[in-house]
Amino acid sequence: MTTIAPLPDGPYDIEFFFDTGCPFAWMTSRWIHQVIDAKGIKVGWRFISLKFINENNENVSESYKQATGAGLRFHRICAAARERFGNEAVGNLYSGYGNAFWYRTLDGDFGEKMASAAAGVDVAAIIAGTGLPADLIDAADDDSWDTLIRAESDEAFARTGDDVGTPIITWGEGGNSMFGPVISSLPDEETALKYYDALRVVVDFTGFSELKRTKRPQLDLPLLQ
């Protein structure tokens, strides 16, 4: 049984758990937007915090901790926006953040790039660009939202089991949940739709758990080149 409240404006064809600092979640979300545009599916946006996931990980660099901290601050803004304006506001904010974050070229290792990219995002401009009120930015410093964000993060793993990453997608109302798909680049529109339909067949079979390969192309994101 779910431990979190249903999303407003539902039901949804899928629920998509994301962290703004996960490149795989971002790329998969862009594919999902291709499907939204072509098929009109409804997507509920939920939070999964890399800050909370890695809070006991001693191998995480200080720069990466800064990056995930920035992601948590933006999650708080998204949580406040969802309460006041509904689920669609979260999707719009996530799109605005990702477009400002991933498509730049920076020096350094992965953690340093992520921290620099996060520091360079103009969150106030993103909020303005979505047509939402400027005072939403105040939520970034309001840790009262962390209870909700942590609960959704925990729920994501409750649905899939441990030892997976982001994104996590729940397919259908009360349907199966899976980590991924992990994709390195966007398909063309025809392939995007075929891919979605094929995945629905796979994930709707309750006996399915995993397909995987660790060899993959480089992510098609300038920040990670």
Side-chain angles (χ1 to χ4, degrees):
M1 181 178 295
T2 185
T3 60
I4 52 179
L7 290 172
D9 313 319
Y12 293 96
D13 296 294
I14 67 171
E15 289 188 353
F16 191 109
F17 291 80
F18 73 92
D19 186 285
T20 57
C22 176
F24 305 113
W26 173 251
M27 189 63 76
T28 301
S29 77
R30 296 309 90 191
W31 160 67
I32 284 296
H33 272 280
Q34 290 179 296
V35 182
I36 292 171
D37 292 342
K39 294 176 73 77
I41 65 168
K42 289 189 66 177
V43 178
W45 301 99
R46 287 200 184 271
F47 313 126
I48 184 168
S49 173
L50 291 173
K51 176 70 172 179
F52 293 147
I53 291 170
N54 289 293
E55 61 188 347
N56 296 316
N57 186 349
E58 297 179 355
N59 297 318
V60 173
S61 67
E62 287 302 316
S63 57
Y64 188 67
K65 288 180 181 178
Q66 293 175 19
T68 58
L72 175 59
R73 288 168 58 81
F74 196 74
H75 267 151
R76 292 169 180 167
I77 292 170
C78 290
R82 188 169 73 191
E83 181 172 282
R84 292 170 61 182
F85 304 105
N87 169 75
E88 186 175 355
V90 179
N92 291 337
L93 285 167
Y94 180 31
S95 290
Y97 190 97
N99 284 323
F101 187 95
W102 294 109
Y103 302 100
R104 57 175 69 191
T105 302
L106 297 170
D107 295 326
D109 61 24
F110 177 75
E112 291 166 343
K113 287 182 177 181
M114 298 293 284
S116 296
V121 172
D122 187 342
V123 175
I126 292 169
I127 294 171
T130 61
L132 295 169
D135 66 354
L136 272 176
I137 201 168
D138 296 337
D141 297 315
D142 184 357
D143 63 6
S144 69
W145 294 108
D146 293 2
T147 299
L148 169 64
I149 296 163
R150 187 181 292 275
E152 293 202 356
S153 299
D154 291 344
E155 175 68 15
F157 292 115
R159 293 182 183 186
T160 59
D162 296 330
D163 298 322
V164 297
T166 62
I168 287 173
I169 298 177
T170 297
W171 300 81
E173 185 76 4
N176 292 334
S177 299
M178 297 287 175
F179 161 51
V182 174
I183 59 176
S184 296
S185 60
L186 288 180
D188 59 55
E189 182 177 315
E190 180 181 2
T191 303
L193 298 180
K194 289 180 178 179
Y195 189 42
Y196 178 83
D197 290 339
L199 279 173
R200 284 310 309 258
V201 172
V202 170
V203 301
D204 285 346
F205 171 48
T206 57
F208 172 76
S209 61
E210 184 176 24
L211 281 171
K212 186 173 183 179
R213 65 178 176 184
T214 56
K215 182 179 179 180
R216 58 175 174 256
Q218 186 176 16
L219 275 157
D220 186 21
L221 292 171
L223 182 63
L224 302 183
Q225 302 303 311

